[in-house]
């Protein structure tokens, strides 16, 4: 009897842990690299809108695709902040990495272009991680001596914090956009009133001039 009671009490907890781990798997996906084809005619740029105080880590390298008898293409990389500050600049390389913590909200742009007189386009592999995906959970587990379900709970906590911060950021942006919209509407209203006033003034001056002209010509 007591054994059945223990099994019944443990079953909901087991189901809860399974559901929690499944949710963590969906909310905390594996980071995968993307391949980019860079033409020799110009740079190819990627951008992502990121808020402040977010860790960004990226690794890139030139992929050897049908390069038998040919050297790998060398590329140059430049990463800039929303206000144009240079965060990473590397030239004539076949691989590299960069990491920084954002201090400005907006679009961060990474541009890649082929260096030298290479024939054909270059293909690069780029692994771009931000926020919770850029966190080294192995180091966290070793430092805090946690593993298993406790580590998954910690990951889930990080995901929830990231979602909350993103919602706060979106709310702030929405308030800023609303202020800009209200200011723009106010300016448009004043411009419309001024335009109407100018039109009425010009019409009055035209009537006064025509009336004066006709009187001078003794037509009225």
């Amino acid at each position: 009897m007591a054994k059945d009671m223990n099994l019944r009490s443990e079953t909901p907890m087991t189901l809860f842990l399974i559901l929690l781990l499944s949710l963590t798997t969906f909310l905390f996906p594996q980071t995968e690299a993307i391949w980019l084809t860079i033409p020799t005619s110009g740079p190819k740029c990627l951008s992502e809108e990121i808020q402040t105080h977010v860790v960004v880590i990226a690794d890139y390298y030139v992929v050897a695709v049908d390069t038998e008898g040919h050297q790998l293409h060398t590329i140059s990389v430049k990463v800039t902040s929303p206000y144009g500050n240079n965060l990473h600049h590397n030239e004539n390389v076949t691989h590299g990495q960069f990491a920084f913590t954002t201090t400005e909200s907006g679009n961060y742009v990474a541009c890649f272009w082929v260096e030298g007189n290479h024939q054909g386009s270059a293909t690069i592999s780029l692994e771009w991680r931000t926020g919770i995906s850029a966190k080294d959970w192995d180091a966290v587990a070793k430092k805090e001596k946690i593993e298993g379900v406790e580590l998954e709970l910690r990951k889930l906590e990080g995901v929830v914090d990231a979602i909350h911060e993103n919602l706060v950021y979106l709310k702030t942006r929405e308030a800023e956009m609303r202020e800009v919209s209200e200011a723009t509407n106010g300016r448009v209203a004043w411009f419309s009133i001024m335009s109407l006033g100018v039109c009425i003034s010009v019409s009055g001056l035209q009537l006064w001039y025509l009336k004066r002209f006709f009187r001078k010509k003794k037509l009225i």
Side-chain angles (χ1 to χ4, degrees):
M1 185 76 174
K3 189 174 182 180
D4 292 339
M5 291 291 292
N6 290 334
L7 288 174
R8 290 177 183 176
S9 62
E10 288 178 359
T11 300
M13 180 61 67
T14 304
L15 292 175
F16 172 74
L17 291 177
I18 293 174
L19 179 62
L20 186 61
L21 290 174
S22 301
L23 182 63
T24 305
T25 304
F26 282 112
L27 292 178
F28 194 76
Q30 294 289 333
T31 303
E32 295 183 358
I34 59 173
W35 281 23
L36 299 174
T37 300
I38 307 174
T40 55
S41 57
K44 174 167 284 190
C45 299
L46 297 174
S47 66
E48 182 177 356
E49 186 174 355
I50 310 174
Q51 56 182 314
T52 56
H53 309 300
V54 174
V55 177
V56 179
I57 299 175
D59 296 278
Y60 57 89
Y61 62 89
V62 178
V63 179
V65 180
D66 296 331
T67 57
E68 186 177 353
H70 301 280
Q71 292 184 345
L72 285 176
H73 290 75
T74 56
I75 61 172
S76 293
V77 187
K78 186 176 183 181
V79 182
T80 55
S81 71
Y83 295 113
N85 296 320
N86 190 13
L87 302 175
H88 175 75
H89 191 192
N90 211 355
E91 296 182 349
N92 293 317
V93 295
T94 57
H95 64 278
Q97 61 181 1
F98 56 86
F100 57 88
T101 301
T102 59
T103 57
E104 307 163 5
S105 296
N107 283 322
Y108 285 78
V109 181
C111 292
F112 302 84
W113 64 92
V114 178
E115 286 287 353
N117 297 321
H118 295 285
Q119 298 293 328
S121 59
T123 302
I124 67 168
S125 175
L126 173 65
E127 184 179 353
W128 178 286
R129 293 170 290 165
T130 61
I132 195 71
S133 299
K135 197 165 187 177
D136 188 356
W137 289 106
D138 292 334
V140 172
K142 291 180 181 179
K143 182 179 179 181
E144 300 185 8
K145 297 180 180 179
I146 57 177
E147 60 182 8
V149 176
E150 192 174 359
L151 178 60
E152 297 300 326
L153 287 172
R154 189 62 185 275
K155 290 180 181 180
L156 184 60
E157 182 183 0
V159 172
V160 172
D161 291 339
I163 293 174
H164 178 262
E165 291 175 0
N166 192 41
L167 289 175
V168 172
Y169 171 70
L170 292 176
K171 185 177 180 180
T172 303
R173 288 296 304 273
E174 188 270 337
E176 292 174 355
M177 295 298 294
R178 186 173 63 250
E179 291 178 0
V180 171
S181 178
E182 291 175 354
T184 302
N185 290 335
R187 292 185 185 130
V188 170
W190 277 109
F191 179 77
S192 301
I193 294 172
M194 290 176 61
S195 299
L196 182 60
V198 170
C199 291
I200 293 173
S201 301
V202 171
S203 299
L205 287 173
Q206 286 179 341
L207 289 174
W208 174 79
Y209 176 79
L210 290 174
K211 188 175 182 180
R212 184 168 173 269
F213 175 78
F214 289 141
R215 281 181 179 177
K216 187 178 290 186
K217 297 295 183 178
K218 295 181 180 181
L219 298 176
I220 56 173

